[in-house]
Amino acid sequence: MPIKVAVLFERRAHEKRVAMVPAVADKLAKLGCSISMLTGAGLGSMLPDSAYTSVEIAATEQHLLADADIVLAVQAPTEAEINLLRPGTLLLSFIYPHKEPALTRLLRDKQITCFAMEQVPRISRAQAMDALSSQAALAGYYAALMGATKLARILPMMTTAVGSIRPARCLVMGLGVAGLQALATARRLGAITEGYDVRPETKEQAESLGAKFVDTGVDARGEGGYARELTPEEKDNIAAVVTKHIQQADIVITTAAIPGRPSPKLISKAQVDGMKLGAVIIDLAAEGGGNCEYSVPGETIQQGQITIAAPLNVPSMLAEHASELYAKNLLNLLQLCINDGAITLNWDDEVLAKTVLTHAGRIMPEQIKAALDN
Amino acid sequence: MPIKVAVLFERRAHEKRVAMVPAVADKLAKLGCSISMLTGAGLGSMLPDSAYTSVEIAATEQHLLADADIVLAVQAPTEAEINLLRPGTLLLSFIYPHKEPALTRLLRDKQITCFAMEQVPRISRAQAMDALSSQAALAGYYAALMGATKLARILPMMTTAVGSIRPARCLVMGLGVAGLQALATARRLGAITEGYDVRPETKEQAESLGAKFVDTGVDARGEGGYARELTPEEKDNIAAVVTKHIQQADIVITTAAIPGRPSPKLISKAQVDGMKLGAVIIDLAAEGGGNCEYSVPGETIQQGQITIAAPLNVPSMLAEHASELYAKNLLNLLQLCINDGAITLNWDDEVLAKTVLTHAGRIMPEQIKAALDN
């Protein structure tokens, strides 16, 4: 009996990604899986049914899910979808339990073994499963492009018959995966780039991409590769140095997101009000409310002559590549779960133990269990 | 008495440019001009009144225009504005007489000396006055950015923990100033670039920007730096070769505009229908109806899974730099007209003779006179 893998049709608004691409389906088939999806599930990522030669098209959601052993998704499934699953089914998806606690409780009660992709630990061995990073890299690239198209200036130096145009200045705040890609892309386009982060070890990375590092003297290294929350005094110290750099920038890209928590406000209204006319802020932390006090998640607003864009789900705007990378992340995680054509879960494996959200009727991470169990 | 220079408030929809920037105003002042504009005229280009230290803010349009010696504009003035001018006033502006013949007749009847900026001859000495070129360079840059943001893929090769993403392919059709900038910008972003033009001498220019040249064997060199119109047979020959390149591209940028004539259709509906899913066409020839049979000027449409954008007035989207370059083009032309603090027009100067549209009650270019005089 092959392992039955079902790929969900992503139904959430503005979600164009899909959890499976043809090349990954071919590899799963070789591992002993039969893969099913609904018609058109890949179209948002420019993948017609015909491209998936190793995938069977299921007639209905009931057919797709009722006997699935493994379910793959980008966004958390709906309650209706979860209710169609058998106990013990493996689910791999982004979940973000704090957003919809009822969903996690349902996964628990339906005895789904759910691996929440946002929980993949940030250790070397799990890099190839780290969907947050793969999606963030794309988001960072896109943020620089968005900044460039919303600016009424060009980024590169241009030599013309009437003289030279000076290159634009781009400041990136938050130098994780997204921030570094934003720096790299703005630099490709010819901008003068500056990087800023509370973690001093990012200095070298920024400089290796041709950017100048804004040094504020505050060290805010936290756990798990994220910055810790800062004290009010530290924030003031940083603001004093950073304000100058914000206010001489043409484009500011902010990427300081802390999963499950409100995004820190890195740019105050007062700082925006002192920016250059025509400057643009691209706030990649909109899912958590944004890094700029003026940001309106999901919208692009004009504040005086400053443009502030706080786009949601940026990886979906690059759905073809986002789906490709995400599907490969899933494949690498699945390879830990499938041995000799059968599902076997080794809970001594750090990656599985840290990524699992619900299993056998329990919410597994202590902190989330404490918050959600009732 | 200083020469009175009036800068028009651009009132046409979507026009953010302005014909004057502070640095150029300073230089005009030194030539013996007093410069006036209406409040807020520079705001679309992020230039508040306060930035123009050498410019006087006029209270009304009547004050601005009634005693002006020279009027500067980006888009052709309205009939109401022309009616406020004195006979003999110098006007420098884009006009495009075929679009609004009545306007050119009014300029003639009001005895305005109008230099139409789109008529600046393409000779070395006039390069610094060539506003079509300065604006086209910006449009080409922006077209590549538009293509990149509308594509659901990234342009550069990216090496990730789950393998490499291959670079996207960008084909630019029409290798004038705009096309070459589009090639350069797509290349900066990491795309594999290809250039195509009916003028074989563009091959070397494309290659110098890292692009491959699509050679079709048809030579279509025409007068004045533009391509001549092609015969149907030549078009078929080209289509056969070009179709392959169009259909393997992720982004196609077309720039084949012939001023005053409908844009040649370089991409047929059948060619679009065979393109890759998710491909993007940016049609910079929308002012003349577009280079693609599906193009709808001013709109971005979806044809199946292909995105076709045919934006109008692209330089206005980069208004800050577009205004800066345009104002410098005007200054360089004005320097031919102003000597020792007085306006003197030397009609033996090829640039002035070829750029003048109306003077002393006559339409000057023979071809336009034949079409419009009545």
Side-chain angles (χ1 to χ4, degrees), chain A residues 138-325:
Chain A
L138 298 174
Y141 162 84
Y142 201 79
L145 286 187
M146 275 187 88
T149 47
K150 290 182 188 299
L151 188 70
R153 310 169 64 85
I154 66 170
L155 265 57
M157 190 181 80
M158 191 186 276
T159 306
T160 77
V162 287
S164 284
I165 290 177
R166 276 176 304 169
R169 302 182 81 93
C170 177
L171 170 67
V172 176
M173 303 177 75
L175 301 178
V177 177
L180 292 172
Q181 271 299 331
L183 274 184
T185 305
R187 176 79 176 178
R188 272 179 182 282
L189 281 169
I192 296 169
T193 50
E194 293 187 321
Y196 162 69
D197 198 293
V198 286
R199 297 165 301 148
E201 73 270 25
T202 57
K203 179 171 192 282
E204 205 176 312
Q205 294 170 301
E207 288 173 350
S208 75
L209 296 170
K212 211 180 113 188
F213 187 74
V214 177
D215 199 342
T216 60
V218 176
D219 184 344
R221 274 171 281 198
E223 276 172 47
Y226 293 99
R228 66 178 166 81
E229 270 193 295
L230 300 170
T231 67
E233 193 190 336
E234 283 173 328
K235 286 183 185 167
D236 286 349
N237 288 345
I238 290 171
V241 178
V242 170
T243 296
K244 192 185 64 167
H245 293 270
I246 290 173
Q247 296 185 345
Q248 69 191 16
D250 295 295
I251 298 175
V252 179
I253 296 169
T254 66
T255 74
I258 307 174
R261 299 221 213 136
S263 308
K265 297 297 178 207
L266 302 184
I267 306 182
S268 68
K269 291 186 177 182
Q271 283 172 320
V272 173
D273 296 341
M275 286 178 79
K276 283 164 67 171
L277 293 197
V280 174
I281 297 173
I282 307 294
D283 186 343
L284 280 187
E287 319 274 349
N291 291 141
C292 173
E293 284 183 356
Y294 277 125
S295 290
V296 181
E299 292 187 23
T300 298
I301 62 158
Q302 293 290 326
Q303 175 60 32
Q305 301 272 15
I306 315 299
T307 301
I308 303 162
L312 292 167
N313 197 356
V314 177
S316 173
M317 297 172 193
L318 294 165
E320 281 187 71
H321 281 148
S323 297
E324 181 181 329
L325 296 182

Side-chain angles (χ1 to χ4, degrees), chain A residues 43 46 48 128 141-142 149 152-156 158 161-162 165 181 188 277-278 305 318-321 328 332, chain B residues 43 46 48 127-128 141-142 149 152-156 158 162 165 181 188 277-278 305 318-321 328 332:
Chain A
L43 264 189
M46 305 299 167
Y141 162 84
Y142 201 79
T149 47
R153 310 169 64 85
I154 66 170
L155 265 57
M158 191 186 276
V162 287
I165 290 177
Q181 271 299 331
R188 272 179 182 282
L277 293 197
Q305 301 272 15
L318 294 165
E320 281 187 71
H321 281 148
K328 288 180 178 174
N332 287 315
Chain B
L43 264 189
M46 306 299 167
Q127 273 182 16
Y141 162 85
Y142 201 80
T149 46
R153 308 170 65 84
I154 65 170
L155 265 57
M158 192 186 276
V162 288
I165 291 176
Q181 271 299 332
R188 272 179 182 283
L277 294 195
Q305 300 273 9
L318 294 165
E320 281 185 71
H321 282 147
K328 287 180 179 174
N332 287 314

Side-chain angles (χ1 to χ4, degrees), chain B residues 145-302:
Chain B
L145 285 188
M146 274 188 88
T149 46
K150 291 182 186 300
L151 188 69
R153 308 170 65 84
I154 65 170
L155 265 57
M157 191 179 80
M158 192 186 276
T159 305
T160 77
V162 288
S164 282
I165 291 176
R166 277 177 303 171
R169 301 181 82 92
C170 177
L171 169 66
V172 176
M173 303 176 76
L175 301 178
V177 176
L180 291 172
Q181 271 299 332
L183 274 184
T185 306
R187 177 80 175 176
R188 272 179 182 283
L189 280 170
I192 296 169
T193 50
E194 293 187 322
Y196 162 69
D197 198 294
V198 287
R199 297 165 301 148
E201 73 271 23
T202 56
K203 179 172 192 284
E204 205 175 315
Q205 294 169 300
E207 289 174 348
S208 75
L209 295 170
K212 212 181 111 188
F213 187 73
V214 177
D215 198 343
T216 62
V218 176
D219 184 344
R221 275 169 282 198
E223 277 170 46
Y226 292 101
R228 65 178 167 81
E229 271 194 294
L230 301 170
T231 67
E233 194 190 336
E234 284 173 326
K235 285 182 185 169
D236 286 349
N237 288 344
I238 289 170
V241 177
V242 169
T243 297
K244 192 185 64 165
H245 292 271
I246 290 173
Q247 296 185 346
Q248 69 191 15
D250 294 296
I251 299 174
V252 179
I253 296 169
T254 67
T255 74
I258 307 174
R261 300 224 212 135
S263 307
K265 295 298 177 206
L266 300 184
I267 306 182
S268 68
K269 290 186 176 182
Q271 283 172 320
V272 174
D273 296 341
M275 287 178 78
K276 283 163 67 171
L277 294 195
V280 174
I281 297 173
I282 306 295
D283 187 343
L284 279 187
E287 319 274 348
N291 291 139
C292 173
E293 285 182 356
Y294 278 123
S295 290
V296 181
E299 294 187 22
T300 297
I301 62 159
Q302 293 290 325

Side-chain angles (χ1 to χ4, degrees), chain B residues 102-117:
Chain B
L103 217 57
T104 297
R105 293 188 193 113
L106 182 61
L107 290 169
R108 174 196 62 193
D109 298 342
K110 292 286 291 181
Q111 305 201 37
I112 305 301
T113 298
C114 172
F115 291 101
M117 293 305 290

